[in-house]
Amino acid sequence: MARRVVITGMGAVTPLGNDVQTTWNGLLEGRSGIDTIKSFDASKFETQFAGELKGFDPQKYMDRKEIKRTDKFVHLAVAASTMAIEDGGIEVTDPAEQERFGVIIGSGVGGIETHEEQHNRFLKGGPGRISPFFVPMMICDMAAGYVSIHCKAKGPNFCTVSACASAGHAIGMAFRSIKYGESDFMLSGGTEASITHMGLGGFCACKALSKRNDDPRGASRPFDKTRDGFVLGDGAGILFLEEYEHARKRGARIYAEILGVGSTADAYHITAPAEEGEGAQRAMKAALEEARIDPEDLDYINAHGTSTEHNDITETQAIKKVFGARARDGLVVSSTKSMIGHLLGAAGGIEAIATALTIYHGVIHPTINYQHPDPECDLDYCPNQAREMPVVTAISNSFGFGGHNVSIVMNKI
């Protein structure tokens, strides 16, 4: 028998703040967390700005030895997971419950900073200079592994790697693990620390990034006619998912219920979305079908909304195809990326948090920098100012290079 799954805790580290509340306040204020890169000299790159973290201190969550032996993307995952458990007001200490407590955390690139550092050491000093911790520091699954050690979570434990859909897939798998009785509690979401020389350089090389070096805060402008690419961001977003009856019995605060998840492939192109967002259409339809929600009953979509030419058009087309008249009458869309940039494998985690908070508080954060309407992007994108509005049912979309699509339907309890 299928069980109900609810969100009872959240943790986040983002370019807007080192916790959920600070991030949420920034989103509602329409504040940009994007600025000129400070962590290294980016003057030789075509794009010289990103959504970097400000003042994040991993020592609040890990000891010095652990920090030294792990990559930044792991630090962020441990921090956000610790916050999610604290926010959920639960500590899983019973041995039997720990075996029903799992961790699935996605990452698109894993320890890219470690890879760069160790490769430089190899070039300068040969194989003997490579750290014995190189491999466990680099591989994407180490975020889920370290979090499970910290939390004594002995249930399902793995990493999803599907580019910018990684966190969405992780949340979907965690949802199903609880729904079908494999686990009772799951920490799930995504983590990424890709603002490095190679991370920035790679996306510059494939012409994916905005080049508005004279206006970093105005560079991420989803659905705006003058958009010219996305903006890299670092961070992590983790949800604490729980079986509904357990949460109800302990009197837990419930942000939202997850009702359905849709996952599809474009089977079209390694980077470009399918025409008219065909794969995205099927993902949203599948999520609505599992949720048993009619398209005309949806209130809000937290869009993938990257600020790239093709994504914003095809996502708009997909929404219009799936929701018909509702797309132009009552359905509101907004993009979290307009303020924090694109967190790649962590994007879906932060955006799922934003979607759940939208439902919980009844207020939709804006899409900032929306100044020039695009005739091909003609929906209500909640431009520039937050909007108070009852939101009962919402979708969070995540799409990734490789043609991966994930849609998650949430509902108010």
Side-chain angles (χ1 to χ4, degrees):
M1 180 179 176
R3 306 188 304 169
R4 297 173 68 182
V5 182
V6 293
I7 301 166
T8 57
M10 302 175 177
V13 183
T14 78
L16 282 174
N18 296 324
D19 57 66
V20 169
Q21 192 59 57
T22 306
T23 297
W24 179 240
N25 291 344
L27 292 174
L28 295 185
E29 292 165 9
R31 178 160 44 88
S32 175
I34 297 162
D35 205 345
T36 302
I37 291 172
K38 306 291 196 304
S39 59
F40 60 90
D41 180 6
S43 60
K44 294 182 179 179
F45 293 83
E46 277 191 301
T47 296
Q48 299 164 11
F49 56 91
E52 293 185 294
L53 305 179
K54 289 88 175 173
F56 171 71
D57 183 5
Q59 292 188 66
K60 293 181 179 179
Y61 308 97
M62 304 171 70
D63 65 44
R64 291 184 180 181
K65 183 181 289 186
E66 282 184 309
I67 292 168
K68 188 176 181 180
R69 294 177 176 180
T70 50
D71 189 89
K72 184 177 179 180
F73 86 108
V74 172
H75 307 163
L76 301 177
V78 171
S81 297
T82 302
M83 290 183 226
I85 290 173
E86 291 175 352
D87 185 52
I90 184 172
E91 188 174 354
V92 183
T93 57
D94 180 83
E97 288 192 330
Q98 288 175 344
E99 293 180 6
R100 306 275 299 167
F101 181 15
V103 182
I104 305 174
I105 297 176
S107 183
V109 298
I112 188 170
E113 186 174 61
T114 292
H115 198 289
E116 287 182 31
E117 178 188 347
Q118 294 299 315
H119 185 248
N120 286 335
R121 291 176 64 171
F122 166 74
L123 291 178
K124 291 176 181 179
R129 294 291 296 157
I130 298 172
S131 168
F133 297 102
F134 168 52
V135 172
M137 288 176 72
M138 174 194 67
I139 52 181
C140 289
D141 68 297
M142 278 301 156
Y146 258 91
V147 168
S148 73
I149 293 167
H150 268 251
C151 303
K152 304 301 180 187
K154 298 182 178 182
N157 183 269
F158 56 92
C159 172
T160 51
V161 183
S162 49
C164 310
S166 298
H169 277 128
I171 294 167
M173 295 298 292
F175 159 70
R176 295 234 163 88
S177 180
I178 296 176
K179 180 176 179 177
Y180 295 116
E182 183 183 31
S183 60
D184 297 322
F185 322 98
M186 295 292 297
L187 283 166
S188 187
T191 183
E192 207 77 274
S194 63
I195 303 173
T196 69
H197 293 88
M198 290 299 291
L200 179 66
F203 283 110
C204 283
C206 67
K207 309 299 181 184
L209 300 181
S210 170
K211 300 179 182 65
R212 292 176 181 266
N213 293 314
D214 59 342
D215 182 24
R217 291 178 177 83
S220 185
R221 45 185 54 235
F223 307 107
D224 185 272
K225 178 67 174 175
T226 63
R227 66 192 181 275
D228 70 328
F230 73 82
V231 178
L232 275 179
D234 276 353
I238 302 294
L239 304 175
F240 187 84
L241 306 184
E242 189 172 350
E243 191 272 324
Y244 170 71
E245 289 298 333
H246 188 281
R248 184 184 64 81
K249 288 177 182 177
R250 71 179 183 90
R253 171 183 52 199
I254 296 175
Y255 289 105
E257 179 176 7
I258 298 180
L259 296 182
V261 177
S263 177
T264 66
D266 286 349
Y268 176 75
H269 190 273
I270 59 170
T271 56
E275 295 179 4
E276 296 190 320
E278 186 273 338
Q281 291 179 44
R282 289 186 290 108
M284 287 188 281
K285 287 178 180 178
L288 290 167
E289 182 177 351
E290 182 176 25
R292 298 183 181 179
I293 296 292
D294 293 327
E296 57 266 28
D297 292 330
L298 198 79
D299 300 308
Y300 170 66
I301 295 177
N302 186 289
H304 189 55
T306 59
S307 185
T308 59
E309 178 183 358
H310 296 299
N311 172 89
D312 294 1
I313 292 173
T314 56
E315 187 169 12
T316 297
Q317 292 171 333
I319 290 169
K320 290 193 286 189
K321 287 279 189 178
V322 173
F323 296 96
R326 179 63 173 169
R328 299 181 184 278
D329 183 18
L331 182 61
V332 183
V333 180
S334 72
S335 172
T336 308
K337 293 182 180 72
S338 64
M339 289 170 273
I340 64 172
H342 194 343
L343 275 62
L344 307 182
I350 299 296
E351 291 159 17
I353 287 172
T355 305
L357 289 173
T358 295
I359 292 170
Y360 187 72
H361 292 293
V363 58
I364 296 172
H365 76 64
T367 303
I368 69 166
N369 300 320
Y370 185 85
Q371 299 167 344
H372 309 90
D374 183 342
E376 294 189 85
C377 298
D378 54 355
L379 302 177
D380 180 357
Y381 302 112
C382 196
N384 303 314
Q385 290 188 326
R387 185 182 308 172
E388 291 189 9
M389 172 183 145
V391 175
V392 177
T393 309
I395 278 182
S396 178
N397 279 337
S398 297
F399 312 135
F401 280 4
H404 312 295
N405 308 294
V406 185
S407 295
I408 300 171
V409 174
M410 300 183 194
N411 199 66
K412 191 175 186 68
I413 288 286

